[in-house]
Amino acid sequence: TPDLAAILCPLLESAGYRIVLQDTRGVGYGCAIAAKVDAVVASGFHPFENTIMGRGIVWAVVRIGVKEILFTTTHLESFIKGSPVGGQQYDGVLQRANQAIQLARFCQDCLEQRDSTDMAVITGDLNWDDQRVRGKGIDQRLLDLIGEQNWIDAWKIARPRDPGYTYDTKESPMLRGNLRRRFDRCLIHSRQPVSVENVHLIGRDALPDLEWTKPPHPMARSQNPTVVPVTPS
């Protein structure tokens, strides 16, 4: 949100990060990239063709040493509970699939147009539900859609046996319900072979001296609010 960006961006810039922000006028919130790099060569925002939520691609071509890398982040279409569109509930499945294809194509086009850029990275909240303990999820397998021959899933390479839930009601005191999903992804496309040494989740530790009054679940027996620690993610 603009209010959060006004607080975070100066702090990140003072710590040596370079910031690329989505213009949030008309949508109220958006995505951003914060990167410690030698230079941002080019950057921008590329809107999706089929979104009712103002979604798109925040991108930056950055230089690290002698290498140029395209970093992207996005927030793919979300599920809207109880919001029928065209007589059907809006689950965003078709929109997400089309947006994922647009995103992969955007990255591949950039690599084709820039000989100096030899790697593309996709990150962000993809809202992608293609892996469950029981069942396949509502989205098709992501790498099947965008081309497994072109992309690797960094988490799956480094931690193949770890589900890597980025939305986890069992671990986060701020969430409620029973949902556990790996909605967020980090995908890599490189002209040269690339190895992923390690990945880890951040933002799971509670912030010091901060608490939040968590409202009860509407179906819970007790309707008393709960005071819980605040975690960034």
Side-chain angles (χ1 to χ4, degrees):
T1 65
D3 289 343
L4 186 58
I7 297 171
L8 285 180
C9 288
L11 293 173
L12 289 168
E13 288 171 338
S14 68
Y17 286 87
R18 298 173 187 266
I19 311 297
V20 180
L21 285 172
Q22 176 183 344
D23 186 349
T24 58
R25 287 175 295 183
V27 292
Y29 67 97
C31 297
I33 294 173
K36 275 192 175 181
V37 295
D38 295 327
V40 175
V41 178
S43 63
F45 176 74
H46 181 80
F48 288 132
E49 299 169 357
N50 62 328
T51 175
I52 65 171
M53 302 175 182
R55 306 288 168 83
I57 307 163
V58 177
W59 62 274
V61 176
V62 304
R63 184 177 297 121
I64 304 173
V66 298
K67 285 187 172 294
E68 275 190 10
I69 301 173
L70 169 65
F71 279 104
T72 69
T73 191
T74 189
H75 186 188
L76 298 190
E77 209 79 352
S78 302
F79 172 87
I80 304 178
K81 185 177 181 180
S83 178
V85 175
Q88 296 181 352
Q89 186 158 270
Y90 193 83
D91 60 12
V93 170
L94 296 178
Q95 291 77 14
R96 278 194 299 278
N98 186 270
Q99 291 166 6
I101 292 171
Q102 292 178 57
L103 178 55
R105 186 178 298 127
F106 176 87
C107 292
Q108 289 161 353
D109 288 347
C110 179
L111 294 187
E112 290 175 3
Q113 295 165 9
R114 299 184 63 91
D115 292 337
S116 56
T117 306
D118 58 6
M119 180 184 294
V121 180
I122 291 173
T123 64
D125 181 358
L126 305 191
N127 277 313
W128 209 265
D129 180 12
D130 62 351
Q131 57 180 67
R132 300 185 185 183
V133 175
R134 300 177 183 87
K136 297 180 179 179
I138 62 173
D139 296 297
Q140 70 182 94
R141 187 170 177 270
L142 181 56
L143 293 189
D144 287 344
L145 178 66
I146 65 173
E148 192 162 17
Q149 70 279 10
N150 295 321
W151 294 90
I152 63 171
D153 185 329
W155 187 271
K156 284 295 188 182
I157 295 297
R159 299 174 181 257
R161 295 179 178 83
D162 187 332
Y165 297 130
T166 59
Y167 187 100
D168 193 343
T169 57
K170 301 294 184 183
E171 296 293 333
S172 174
M174 299 184 68
L175 300 175
R176 61 190 186 188
N178 299 302
L179 193 64
R180 309 183 81 188
R181 296 288 186 271
R182 190 168 70 101
F183 287 139
D184 303 76
R185 306 291 168 94
C186 179
L187 310 176
I188 301 170
H189 175 46
S190 178
R191 301 182 198 270
Q192 306 296 329
V194 61
S195 62
V196 180
E197 295 183 359
N198 197 10
V199 294
H200 62 276
L201 298 175
I202 62 174
R204 304 176 76 182
D205 296 331
L207 298 174
D209 304 320
L210 283 179
E211 293 180 332
W212 176 60
T213 302
K214 178 181 177 179
H217 192 282
M219 302 300 291
R221 290 183 179 180
S222 172
Q223 288 298 298
N224 295 323
T226 307
V227 177
V228 298
V230 174
T231 58
S233 176

